Amino acid sequence: MDPLGAPSQFVDVDTLPSWGDSYEDELNASDTAAETDTIRSPFPFNKTVNGKVILWKGDVALLNCTAIVNTSNENLTDKNPVSESIFMLAGPDLKEELQKLKGCRTGEAKLTKGFHLAARFIIHTVGPKYKSRYRTAAESSLYSCYRNVLQLAKEQSMSSVGFCVINSAKRGYPLEDATHIALRTVRRFLEIHGETIEKVVFAVSELEEATYQKLLPLYFPRSLKEESRSLPYLPADIGNAEGEPVVPERQIRISEKPGAPEDDQEEEEEGLGADLSFIGSHAFARMEGDIDKQRRLILQGQLSEAALQKQHQRNYNRWLCQARSEDLSDIASLKALYQTGVDNCGRTVMVVVGRNIPVTLIDMDKALLYFIHVMDHIAVKEYVLVYFHTLTSEYNHLDSDFLKKLYDIVDVKYKRNLKAVYFVHPTFRSKVSTWFFTTFSVSGLKDKVHHVDSLHQLFSAISPEQIDFPPFVLEYDARVSTRSSPCPAAGSSLLRRAGLTGTSVHCKMILMQ
């Protein structure tokens, strides 16, 4: 390749199709008025923003745009495929100018001329070295890389920027995790400062392209339909208003005028709940306001139905906001709640594994948050729950007070769209407890609960191919079936019907992170 770069090598970004253009047919076909009634994503469909974004498989050094991004080390001497291509095409003057910069710290961005490149400028940045135990620091540093590049482009009035994948392979950052940070940071920047920049190009290799194709719809949905379809796959941490990773333990909330009433004091006095300011107290202390006062007002008939609904919705939204910002990875790792296939009516099937819930060892408020985080987008449409009570002990039994709290907190859509609860392998005690709970504690749930003594009964409602079974559930059911059936092959027949045997059973958990 000619080190000066022949003009024919370079690619003008204005000739590349935008991300929004790649979905034109479905945009026109699917965005009906009915879809606007669904819950909106925190990254809603925005045709203008999508028109500024380009996904391009190619060498970032070949882009003809205002600036391209180079990923390097602290000495700006890193040798990786991206930087080597940039150095080769830019020519020897680039190395001389880099020496004048005297390095670049992790997360910073520094500017040089493009020299013989088609791009006028090169923005150099240093991605973090990734170690799982320092994940939070790595996330913050990678966010700073993307944010500082965009801020520099804004300050220099650059109309277009070509991003390489900043997290170089030798620094060990997991590609998918890094891509989430890259996309949401760019998305938030374009929402806030979109008028200052016309094009952002993600230049990716063949290996990187599939990950970007998979995750771009989460942050840049190209229709209301794609927005709704992408909602369940957003991670737990979607960052703050600028895409920066949120670290809950570092957050301290202080009222603008401590001791003074908030703007919505009048509503609070009507019993609509108080989002109390706090320093260092647990987040849940402010979730529900003065419950006793609210109940007293309800009994006295002083809360209208509309005010009651508004109070409940505000309370649920606070829980949902907290669920999206808190690190729930410890709860997710239990694999106690996950999405699997669909039932015979095409409704989403959610699985709860009782044995995987160590009630006495975990923070049950965090468990409640995790349930809300996973289920908020599922409950928008009809769904069913399969609860495996199999081999649970007294340490796994969910307290009726916890279940009542959960039922009271969740949005109305949870109750409306829940069509069935399949209680698998119940005991006599659990049947009695369920009857009391659904009769005296909650309303409208009793007729939806179905006790299922064997998986054969469950298969009449849900095909075995549509459920990811924990291995111990299948093994237990096979043993019970063998004891109760005159045919000794009943247990193995059940496993074959499920398409699984013994230790080859794997739970393909679809977890929200």
Side-chain angles (χ1 to χ4, degrees), residues 188-258:
R188 293 306 191 203
F189 187 88
L190 291 177
E191 288 175 344
I192 301 169
H193 306 290
E195 74 285 351
T196 66
I197 194 165
E198 296 176 7
K199 298 288 181 184
V200 174
V201 183
F202 294 107
V204 298
S205 67
E206 188 169 359
L207 291 174
E208 297 157 346
E209 184 181 26
T211 300
Y212 272 73
Q213 287 278 10
K214 171 187 171 184
L215 299 184
L216 266 164
L218 276 61
Y219 301 95
F220 300 92
R222 293 162 290 182
S223 72
L224 292 173
K225 182 176 181 179
E226 187 170 62
E227 176 189 331
S228 176
R229 195 164 55 221
S230 299
L231 269 171
Y233 303 102
L234 281 172
D237 181 6
I238 59 170
N240 61 17
E242 295 186 343
E244 183 177 10
V246 174
V247 184
E249 58 267 27
R250 294 182 186 172
Q251 291 181 309
I252 297 178
R253 182 176 174 193
I254 304 174
S255 65
E256 186 175 350
K257 295 179 180 179

Coordinates of all heavy atoms in Angstrom, one line a residue, residues 188-258:
R188 N -26.4 9.0 24.0 CA -26.7 10.1 24.9 C -26.1 11.4 24.4 O -26.7 12.5 24.5 CB -26.2 9.8 26.3 CG -26.9 8.6 27.0 CD -28.4 8.8 27.0 NE -29.1 7.8 27.8 CZ -30.4 7.5 27.7 NH1 -31.1 8.0 26.7 NH2 -30.9 6.6 28.5
F189 N -24.9 11.3 23.9 CA -24.2 12.6 23.4 C -25.0 13.2 22.2 O -25.2 14.4 22.1 CB -22.8 12.3 22.9 CG -22.0 13.5 22.6 CD1 -21.3 14.2 23.5 CD2 -22.0 14.0 21.3 CE1 -20.6 15.3 23.2 CE2 -21.3 15.1 20.9 CZ -20.6 15.8 21.9
L190 N -25.5 12.3 21.3 CA -26.2 12.8 20.1 C -27.6 13.4 20.6 O -28.1 14.3 19.9 CB -26.4 11.7 19.1 CG -25.1 11.2 18.4 CD1 -25.5 10.1 17.4 CD2 -24.5 12.4 17.6
E191 N -28.2 12.8 21.6 CA -29.4 13.3 22.1 C -29.2 14.8 22.7 O -30.1 15.6 22.5 CB -30.0 12.4 23.3 CG -30.5 11.1 22.8 CD -30.9 10.2 24.0 OE1 -30.5 10.5 25.1 OE2 -31.6 9.2 23.7
I192 N -28.1 15.0 23.3 CA -27.9 16.3 24.0 C -27.2 17.3 23.1 O -27.6 18.5 23.0 CB -27.0 16.1 25.3 CG1 -27.7 15.1 26.2 CG2 -26.7 17.4 25.9 CD1 -26.8 14.7 27.4
H193 N -26.3 16.8 22.3 CA -25.4 17.7 21.4 C -25.5 17.4 20.0 O -24.6 17.6 19.2 CB -24.0 17.7 21.9 CG -23.8 17.9 23.3 ND1 -23.9 19.1 23.9 CD2 -23.4 17.1 24.3 CE1 -23.7 19.1 25.2 NE2 -23.4 17.8 25.5
G194 N -26.7 16.8 19.6 CA -26.8 16.3 18.2 C -26.6 17.4 17.1 O -26.2 17.1 16.0
E195 N -27.0 18.6 17.5 CA -26.9 19.7 16.5 C -25.5 20.0 16.1 O -25.2 20.7 15.1 CB -27.6 20.9 17.0 CG -26.9 21.7 18.1 CD -26.9 21.1 19.5 OE1 -27.6 20.1 19.6 OE2 -26.2 21.6 20.4
T196 N -24.5 19.6 16.9 CA -23.1 19.9 16.7 C -22.3 18.9 15.8 O -21.2 19.2 15.4 CB -22.3 20.1 18.0 OG1 -22.2 18.8 18.7 CG2 -23.0 21.1 18.9
I197 N -22.9 17.8 15.5 CA -22.2 16.8 14.8 C -23.2 16.1 13.8 O -24.4 15.9 14.1 CB -21.6 15.7 15.7 CG1 -20.6 14.8 15.0 CG2 -22.7 14.9 16.5 CD1 -19.7 14.1 16.0
E198 N -22.7 15.8 12.6 CA -23.6 15.3 11.6 C -23.5 13.8 11.4 O -24.5 13.1 11.1 CB -23.3 16.0 10.2 CG -23.5 17.5 10.2 CD -23.1 18.1 8.9 OE1 -22.7 17.4 8.0 OE2 -23.2 19.4 8.8
K199 N -22.3 13.2 11.6 CA -22.1 11.8 11.3 C -21.1 11.2 12.4 O -20.1 11.8 12.7 CB -21.5 11.5 9.9 CG -22.3 12.0 8.8 CD -23.5 11.1 8.6 CE -24.4 11.5 7.4 NZ -25.6 10.7 7.2
V200 N -21.5 10.0 12.9 CA -20.7 9.2 13.7 C -20.6 7.9 13.1 O -21.6 7.2 12.9 CB -21.2 9.1 15.2 CG1 -20.3 8.1 16.0 CG2 -21.2 10.5 15.9
V201 N -19.4 7.4 12.7 CA -19.2 6.2 12.1 C -18.5 5.2 13.1 O -17.5 5.5 13.7 CB -18.3 6.3 10.8 CG1 -18.1 5.0 10.1 CG2 -18.8 7.4 9.9
F202 N -19.1 4.0 13.2 CA -18.4 2.9 13.9 C -17.8 2.0 12.9 O -18.4 1.3 12.1 CB -19.5 2.1 14.7 CG -20.1 2.9 15.8 CD1 -21.4 3.3 15.7 CD2 -19.4 3.2 17.0 CE1 -22.0 4.0 16.8 CE2 -20.0 3.9 18.0 CZ -21.3 4.3 17.9
A203 N -16.4 2.1 12.8 CA -15.7 1.3 11.8 C -15.2 0.0 12.5 O -14.5 0.1 13.5 CB -14.4 2.1 11.3
V204 N -15.7 -1.1 12.1 CA -15.5 -2.4 12.8 C -14.9 -3.4 11.8 O -14.9 -3.3 10.6 CB -16.8 -2.9 13.3 CG1 -17.4 -2.0 14.3 CG2 -17.8 -3.2 12.2
S205 N -14.2 -4.4 12.4 CA -13.7 -5.5 11.7 C -14.8 -6.5 11.5 O -15.9 -6.4 12.0 CB -12.5 -6.1 12.4 OG -13.0 -6.7 13.6
E206 N -14.5 -7.6 10.7 CA -15.5 -8.6 10.5 C -15.8 -9.3 11.8 O -17.0 -9.7 12.0 CB -14.9 -9.6 9.5 CG -15.9 -10.7 9.1 CD -15.4 -11.5 7.9 OE1 -14.3 -11.3 7.4 OE2 -16.1 -12.4 7.5
L207 N -14.9 -9.5 12.7 CA -15.2 -10.1 14.0 C -16.0 -9.3 14.9 O -16.8 -9.8 15.7 CB -13.9 -10.5 14.7 CG -13.0 -11.6 14.1 CD1 -11.7 -11.7 14.8 CD2 -13.8 -12.9 14.1
E208 N -15.9 -8.0 14.8 CA -16.6 -7.0 15.6 C -18.0 -6.7 15.1 O -18.9 -6.3 15.9 CB -15.8 -5.7 15.8 CG -14.5 -5.9 16.5 CD -13.5 -4.8 16.2 OE1 -13.7 -4.0 15.2 OE2 -12.4 -4.8 16.9
E209 N -18.2 -6.9 13.8 CA -19.4 -6.5 13.2 C -20.7 -7.1 13.8 O -21.7 -6.5 14.0 CB -19.4 -6.7 11.7 CG -20.6 -6.2 10.9 CD -20.6 -6.5 9.5 OE1 -19.9 -7.5 9.1 OE2 -21.2 -5.8 8.7
A210 N -20.6 -8.4 14.0 CA -21.7 -9.2 14.5 C -22.2 -8.6 15.9 O -23.4 -8.5 16.1 CB -21.4 -10.7 14.7
T211 N -21.3 -8.3 16.8 CA -21.6 -7.7 18.1 C -22.3 -6.4 17.9 O -23.3 -6.1 18.6 CB -20.4 -7.6 19.0 OG1 -19.8 -8.9 19.1 CG2 -20.7 -7.0 20.3
Y212 N -21.8 -5.5 17.1 CA -22.4 -4.2 16.8 C -23.8 -4.4 16.2 O -24.7 -3.6 16.6 CB -21.5 -3.3 16.0 CG -20.5 -2.6 16.8 CD1 -19.4 -3.2 17.4 CD2 -20.6 -1.2 17.0 CE1 -18.4 -2.5 18.1 CE2 -19.7 -0.5 17.8 CZ -18.6 -1.2 18.3 OH -17.7 -0.5 19.1
Q213 N -23.9 -5.3 15.3 CA -25.2 -5.5 14.7 C -26.3 -6.0 15.7 O -27.4 -5.6 15.7 CB -25.1 -6.6 13.6 CG -24.4 -6.1 12.3 CD -25.4 -5.3 11.4 OE1 -26.5 -5.0 11.7 NE2 -24.9 -5.0 10.2
K214 N -25.8 -6.8 16.6 CA -26.7 -7.3 17.7 C -27.1 -6.2 18.7 O -28.3 -6.2 19.1 CB -25.9 -8.4 18.4 CG -26.6 -9.0 19.7 CD -25.7 -10.0 20.4 CE -26.2 -10.4 21.7 NZ -25.3 -11.3 22.4
L215 N -26.2 -5.3 19.1 CA -26.5 -4.4 20.1 C -27.0 -3.0 19.7 O -27.6 -2.3 20.4 CB -25.2 -4.2 21.0 CG -24.7 -5.5 21.7 CD1 -23.5 -5.1 22.6 CD2 -25.8 -6.1 22.5
L216 N -26.7 -2.6 18.4 CA -27.2 -1.3 18.0 C -28.7 -1.1 18.1 O -29.1 0.0 18.5 CB -26.7 -1.1 16.5 CG -25.4 -0.4 16.3 CD1 -24.9 -0.6 14.9 CD2 -25.5 1.1 16.6
P217 N -29.5 -2.2 17.8 CA -31.0 -1.9 18.0 C -31.4 -1.6 19.4 O -32.4 -1.0 19.6 CB -31.6 -3.3 17.6 CG -30.5 -3.9 16.6 CD -29.2 -3.5 17.2
L218 N -30.6 -2.0 20.4 CA -30.9 -1.6 21.8 C -30.8 -0.1 22.1 O -31.6 0.4 22.8 CB -30.0 -2.4 22.8 CG -30.3 -3.8 23.2 CD1 -30.3 -4.7 21.9 CD2 -29.3 -4.3 24.2
Y219 N -29.9 0.5 21.4 CA -29.6 1.9 21.7 C -30.0 2.8 20.6 O -30.3 4.0 20.8 CB -28.1 2.1 22.0 CG -27.6 1.3 23.2 CD1 -27.1 0.1 23.0 CD2 -27.8 1.7 24.5 CE1 -26.7 -0.7 24.1 CE2 -27.4 1.0 25.6 CZ -26.9 -0.3 25.4 OH -26.5 -1.0 26.4
F220 N -30.2 2.3 19.4 CA -30.6 3.0 18.2 C -31.7 2.2 17.5 O -31.6 1.8 16.3 CB -29.5 3.3 17.3 CG -28.3 4.1 17.9 CD1 -27.3 3.5 18.5 CD2 -28.3 5.5 17.8 CE1 -26.2 4.2 19.0 CE2 -27.3 6.2 18.4 CZ -26.2 5.6 19.0
P221 N -32.9 2.0 18.2 CA -33.9 1.2 17.5 C -34.4 2.0 16.3 O -34.6 3.2 16.3 CB -35.0 1.1 18.6 CG -34.7 2.2 19.5 CD -33.2 2.4 19.5
R222 N -34.7 1.2 15.2 CA -35.1 1.9 14.0 C -36.6 1.9 13.7 O -37.0 2.3 12.6 CB -34.4 1.1 12.8 CG -32.9 1.3 12.9 CD -32.1 0.3 12.0 NE -32.2 -1.0 12.7 CZ -31.7 -2.1 12.2 NH1 -30.9 -2.1 11.0 NH2 -31.8 -3.3 12.8
S223 N -37.3 1.5 14.7 CA -38.8 1.6 14.6 C -39.3 1.3 16.0 O -38.6 0.9 16.9 CB -39.4 0.5 13.6 OG -39.3 -0.8 14.2
L224 N -40.6 1.6 16.2 CA -41.2 1.4 17.5 C -41.3 -0.1 17.8 O -41.1 -0.6 18.9 CB -42.7 1.9 17.5 CG -42.8 3.5 17.5 CD1 -44.2 3.9 17.3 CD2 -42.2 4.1 18.8
K225 N -41.4 -0.9 16.7 CA -41.5 -2.4 16.9 C -40.1 -2.9 17.3 O -40.0 -3.7 18.3 CB -41.8 -3.0 15.5 CG -41.9 -4.5 15.6 CD -42.4 -5.1 14.3 CE -42.6 -6.6 14.4 NZ -43.0 -7.2 13.1
E226 N -39.0 -2.4 16.7 CA -37.7 -2.8 17.1 C -37.4 -2.3 18.5 O -36.7 -3.0 19.3 CB -36.6 -2.3 16.1 CG -35.3 -2.9 16.4 CD -34.3 -2.6 15.3 OE1 -34.0 -1.4 15.0 OE2 -33.7 -3.5 14.7
E227 N -37.9 -1.1 18.9 CA -37.7 -0.6 20.2 C -38.3 -1.5 21.3 O -37.7 -1.9 22.3 CB -38.3 0.8 20.3 CG -38.2 1.4 21.7 CD -39.1 2.7 21.8 OE1 -39.2 3.4 20.8 OE2 -39.6 3.0 22.9
S228 N -39.5 -1.9 21.0 CA -40.2 -2.8 21.9 C -39.6 -4.2 22.0 O -39.4 -4.7 23.1 CB -41.7 -3.0 21.5 OG -42.4 -3.9 22.3
R229 N -39.1 -4.7 20.9 CA -38.5 -6.0 20.8 C -37.1 -6.0 21.5 O -36.7 -7.0 22.1 CB -38.3 -6.4 19.4 CG -38.0 -7.9 19.2 CD -38.2 -8.3 17.7 NE -37.5 -7.4 16.8 CZ -38.0 -6.9 15.7 NH1 -39.2 -7.2 15.3 NH2 -37.2 -6.2 14.9
S230 N -36.5 -4.8 21.6 CA -35.1 -4.8 22.2 C -35.1 -4.5 23.7 O -34.1 -4.8 24.3 CB -34.3 -3.6 21.5 OG -34.2 -3.8 20.1
L231 N -36.3 -4.1 24.2 CA -36.3 -3.7 25.6 C -35.8 -4.8 26.6 O -35.1 -4.5 27.5 CB -37.8 -3.3 26.0 CG -38.1 -1.8 25.8 CD1 -39.6 -1.7 26.0 CD2 -37.4 -1.0 26.9
P232 N -36.2 -6.0 26.4 CA -35.8 -7.0 27.4 C -34.3 -7.3 27.4 O -33.8 -7.9 28.4 CB -36.6 -8.3 26.9 CG -37.7 -7.8 26.1 CD -37.2 -6.6 25.4
Y233 N -33.6 -6.9 26.4 CA -32.2 -7.2 26.3 C -31.3 -6.0 26.8 O -30.0 -6.2 26.7 CB -31.8 -7.6 24.9 CG -32.7 -8.8 24.5 CD1 -33.8 -8.6 23.6 CD2 -32.4 -10.0 24.9 CE1 -34.6 -9.6 23.2 CE2 -33.2 -11.1 24.6 CZ -34.3 -10.9 23.7 OH -35.1 -12.0 23.3
L234 N -31.9 -4.9 27.2 CA -31.0 -3.9 27.8 C -30.4 -4.3 29.1 O -31.0 -5.0 29.9 CB -31.9 -2.6 28.1 CG -32.2 -1.8 26.8 CD1 -33.2 -0.7 27.2 CD2 -30.9 -1.1 26.3
P235 N -29.1 -4.0 29.3 CA -28.5 -4.4 30.6 C -29.0 -3.7 31.8 O -29.7 -2.7 31.6 CB -27.0 -4.1 30.4 CG -27.1 -2.9 29.4 CD -28.2 -3.2 28.5
A236 N -28.7 -4.1 33.0 CA -29.2 -3.5 34.2 C -28.7 -2.1 34.3 O -29.4 -1.2 34.7 CB -28.8 -4.3 35.4
D237 N -27.4 -1.9 34.0 CA -26.8 -0.5 34.1 C -26.9 0.1 32.7 O -26.1 -0.3 31.8 CB -25.4 -0.6 34.6 CG -24.7 0.8 34.7 OD1 -25.4 1.8 34.5 OD2 -23.5 0.8 35.0
I238 N -27.8 1.1 32.5 CA -27.8 1.8 31.3 C -27.2 3.2 31.4 O -27.3 4.0 30.5 CB -29.2 1.9 30.7 CG1 -30.1 2.6 31.7 CG2 -29.8 0.5 30.4 CD1 -31.5 3.0 31.2
G239 N -26.5 3.4 32.5 CA -25.8 4.7 32.7 C -26.8 5.8 33.1 O -28.0 5.6 33.2
N240 N -26.1 7.0 33.4 CA -26.9 8.1 33.7 C -27.4 8.9 32.4 O -27.3 8.3 31.3 CB -26.2 9.0 34.7 CG -24.9 9.5 34.0 OD1 -24.7 9.5 32.8 ND2 -24.0 10.0 34.9
A241 N -27.7 10.1 32.6 CA -28.3 10.9 31.4 C -27.2 11.1 30.3 O -27.6 11.4 29.2 CB -28.8 12.3 31.9
E242 N -25.9 10.9 30.6 CA -24.9 11.0 29.6 C -24.3 9.7 29.3 O -23.3 9.6 28.5 CB -23.8 12.0 30.1 CG -24.3 13.4 30.3 CD -23.2 14.4 30.7 OE1 -22.1 13.9 31.1 OE2 -23.4 15.6 30.5
G243 N -24.8 8.6 29.8 CA -24.3 7.3 29.5 C -23.2 6.8 30.4 O -22.7 5.7 30.2
E244 N -22.9 7.6 31.4 CA -21.8 7.2 32.3 C -22.3 6.1 33.2 O -23.4 6.1 33.7 CB -21.4 8.4 33.1 CG -20.2 8.1 34.1 CD -19.8 9.4 34.8 OE1 -20.5 10.4 34.8 OE2 -18.8 9.3 35.5
P245 N -21.4 5.1 33.5 CA -21.8 4.0 34.4 C -22.2 4.5 35.7 O -21.6 5.5 36.3 CB -20.6 3.1 34.5 CG -19.8 3.4 33.2 CD -20.1 4.9 32.9
V246 N -23.3 3.9 36.3 CA -23.8 4.4 37.6 C -23.2 3.4 38.7 O -23.3 2.2 38.6 CB -25.3 4.3 37.6 CG1 -25.8 4.6 39.0 CG2 -25.9 5.3 36.6
V247 N -22.7 4.0 39.7 CA -22.2 3.3 40.9 C -23.0 3.7 42.1 O -22.8 4.7 42.7 CB -20.7 3.6 41.2 CG1 -20.2 2.7 42.3 CG2 -19.8 3.4 39.9
P248 N -24.1 2.8 42.4 CA -25.1 3.3 43.4 C -24.4 3.6 44.7 O -24.9 4.6 45.4 CB -25.9 2.0 43.6 CG -25.8 1.3 42.3 CD -24.4 1.5 41.8
E249 N -23.4 2.9 45.2 CA -22.8 3.2 46.5 C -22.2 4.5 46.6 O -21.9 5.0 47.7 CB -21.9 2.1 47.0 CG -20.7 1.9 46.0 CD -21.0 0.8 45.0 OE1 -22.2 0.6 44.7 OE2 -20.1 0.1 44.5
R250 N -21.9 5.2 45.4 CA -21.3 6.5 45.4 C -22.3 7.6 45.4 O -21.9 8.8 45.5 CB -20.3 6.6 44.2 CG -19.1 5.7 44.2 CD -18.3 5.9 43.0 NE -17.2 5.0 42.9 CZ -16.4 4.9 41.9 NH1 -16.5 5.7 40.9 NH2 -15.4 4.0 41.9
Q251 N -23.5 7.2 45.2 CA -24.6 8.3 45.1 C -25.1 8.8 46.4 O -25.4 8.0 47.3 CB -25.8 7.7 44.3 CG -25.4 7.4 42.8 CD -26.6 6.9 42.1 OE1 -27.3 6.0 42.5 NE2 -26.9 7.5 41.0
I252 N -25.0 10.1 46.6 CA -25.6 10.7 47.8 C -26.6 11.7 47.3 O -26.3 12.6 46.6 CB -24.5 11.4 48.6 CG1 -23.5 10.3 49.1 CG2 -25.1 12.1 49.8 CD1 -22.4 10.9 49.9
R253 N -27.8 11.6 47.8 CA -28.8 12.5 47.4 C -29.1 13.5 48.4 O -29.4 13.1 49.6 CB -30.1 11.7 47.0 CG -31.2 12.7 46.5 CD -32.4 12.0 46.1 NE -33.4 13.0 45.8 CZ -34.7 12.7 45.6 NH1 -35.1 11.5 45.7 NH2 -35.5 13.7 45.3
I254 N -29.0 14.8 48.1 CA -29.2 15.8 49.1 C -30.2 16.8 48.5 O -30.1 17.2 47.3 CB -27.9 16.6 49.4 CG1 -26.8 15.6 49.9 CG2 -28.1 17.7 50.4 CD1 -25.5 16.2 50.1
S255 N -31.2 17.2 49.2 CA -32.2 18.1 48.7 C -31.6 19.5 48.5 O -30.6 19.8 49.1 CB -33.4 18.2 49.6 OG -33.0 18.8 50.9
E256 N -32.2 20.2 47.5 CA -31.7 21.5 47.2 C -31.7 22.4 48.4 O -30.8 23.2 48.6 CB -32.5 22.1 46.0 CG -31.9 23.4 45.5 CD -32.7 23.9 44.3 OE1 -33.5 23.2 43.8 OE2 -32.5 25.1 43.9
K257 N -32.7 22.3 49.2 CA -32.8 23.1 50.4 C -33.2 22.2 51.6 O -34.4 21.9 51.8 CB -33.9 24.2 50.3 CG -33.6 25.2 49.2 CD -34.7 26.3 49.1 CE -34.3 27.3 48.0 NZ -35.4 28.3 47.8
P258 N -32.2 21.5 52.2 CA -32.6 20.6 53.3 C -33.5 21.2 54.3 O -33.3 22.3 54.7 CB -31.2 20.3 53.9 CG -30.2 20.6 52.8 CD -30.8 21.7 52.0

